[in-house]
Amino acid sequence: MKIGMIIGVERELKAFLEGGMEITEEKVGTTTLYRTEMYGHEVYAALSGYGEIDAAARTQLLITVTGCELVLNFGVVGALVPELKVEDLFVVEKVCHYDYDVSPIDPVVKHQYEEYPDEFIPVDEKIRKWVLEKRPELRPVAVASGDRFVADRADKEALAALGCQICDMEIAAIARICLKNEVPCLSIKCISDTMDGDGADYNANVTRSAAKAFEVIRELLETM
């Protein structure tokens, strides 16, 4: 299978680059594509950078240039509820793009895109069910995704009130672009900063938590 992989930041990319595979690089404009073989799959990875705009651009580029049949994403997230701890692992079920709101002008609720039945962007159900059969210890979650690093506890509580358990800065864009291209998407996330955590916790844990999420991706690819 031809697979695209979107990775948010360089410290998450490190887990992929140090995974022991033979990797070649190709430039497409200003974007570097990292190509490798993993368990018989042709994998192309791209670094998106922080935020929804860059993540959307890189996801579309990856789909258009490589013709990938599946888009994978792994990376770290912040916890929005107190029971979650550093290195907890999740599979993304659905995403709320909390910066998006056209409810003052369209017949939708806040954060809802009109083509979806509620404020959540769905993530491919078929592949998620397959993942949970292979790794039943992974927890399906709803993600609050937007263009800011969430460190304030009150902000976290507000996002949790939307029905989300974790937050990030890329998966809303990745999931939406995949849906528009009819390419399935799978996202594995790992906690780097807890409900009471902040940017210092993120910096302390991002490399280790990203490596743990990538290891799940690697194990899934071996059986895919």
Side-chain angles (χ1 to χ4, degrees):
M1 181 185 294
K2 188 175 288 188
I3 294 172
M5 191 178 294
I6 296 291
I7 304 168
V9 299
E10 288 189 4
R11 282 177 286 181
E12 294 169 329
L13 177 66
K14 182 179 179 182
F16 173 81
L17 295 179
E18 296 181 354
M21 305 87 68
E22 183 177 341
I23 296 172
T24 59
E25 297 183 15
E26 173 188 350
K27 278 283 190 180
V28 181
T30 60
T31 300
T32 300
L33 295 184
Y34 302 91
R35 184 192 178 281
T36 191
E37 298 281 338
M38 296 182 70
Y39 306 107
H41 303 291
E42 186 178 355
V43 178
Y44 292 86
L47 181 69
S48 72
Y50 292 121
E52 308 294 342
I53 293 174
D54 286 355
R58 295 304 186 278
T59 304
Q60 186 60 65
L61 181 147
L62 201 60
I63 292 171
T64 301
V65 170
T66 72
C68 56
E69 305 159 76
L70 170 67
V71 169
L72 300 179
N73 166 248
F74 73 90
V76 303
V77 290
L80 299 177
V81 291
E83 63 268 24
L84 302 183
K85 60 186 184 298
V86 173
E87 294 193 40
D88 281 351
L89 286 162
F90 308 90
V91 58
V92 176
E93 180 178 16
K94 55 186 180 178
V95 188
C96 177
H97 185 188
Y98 64 82
D99 285 327
Y100 183 81
D101 182 15
V102 294
S103 60
I105 55 173
D106 284 343
V108 293
V109 300
K110 195 172 184 179
H111 316 308
Q112 181 184 5
Y113 288 87
E114 62 179 357
E115 62 262 48
Y116 310 134
D118 55 29
E119 61 268 47
F120 288 98
I121 302 167
V123 180
D124 191 84
E125 182 179 13
K126 182 178 179 181
I127 192 166
R128 186 178 68 254
K129 286 183 175 179
W130 175 82
V131 167
L132 290 172
E133 288 175 1
K134 297 291 183 181
R135 296 290 299 264
E137 76 280 9
L138 294 175
R139 284 176 276 183
V141 288
V143 185
S145 191
D147 277 310
R148 57 193 173 94
F149 185 90
V150 181
D152 182 78
R153 187 180 179 92
D155 289 342
K156 294 179 182 182
E157 290 172 348
L159 294 178
L162 299 174
C164 300
Q165 296 81 46
I166 60 177
C167 61
D168 88 335
M169 298 178 64
E170 295 87 32
I171 190 56
I174 296 168
R176 182 158 168 77
I177 295 300
C178 284
L179 283 167
K180 283 185 167 292
N181 285 274
E182 299 182 328
V183 174
C185 172
L186 169 66
S187 180
I188 302 295
K189 298 293 192 180
C190 188
I191 296 286
S192 61
D193 45 297
T194 64
M195 180 73 168
D196 294 316
D198 55 18
D201 296 281
Y202 166 85
N203 284 324
N205 299 317
V206 56
T207 301
R208 187 174 73 257
S209 293
K212 190 169 182 178
F214 178 65
E215 189 58 32
V216 175
I217 291 287
R218 181 198 292 277
E219 291 171 4
L220 291 171
L221 286 175
E222 189 174 8
T223 59
M224 189 175 287

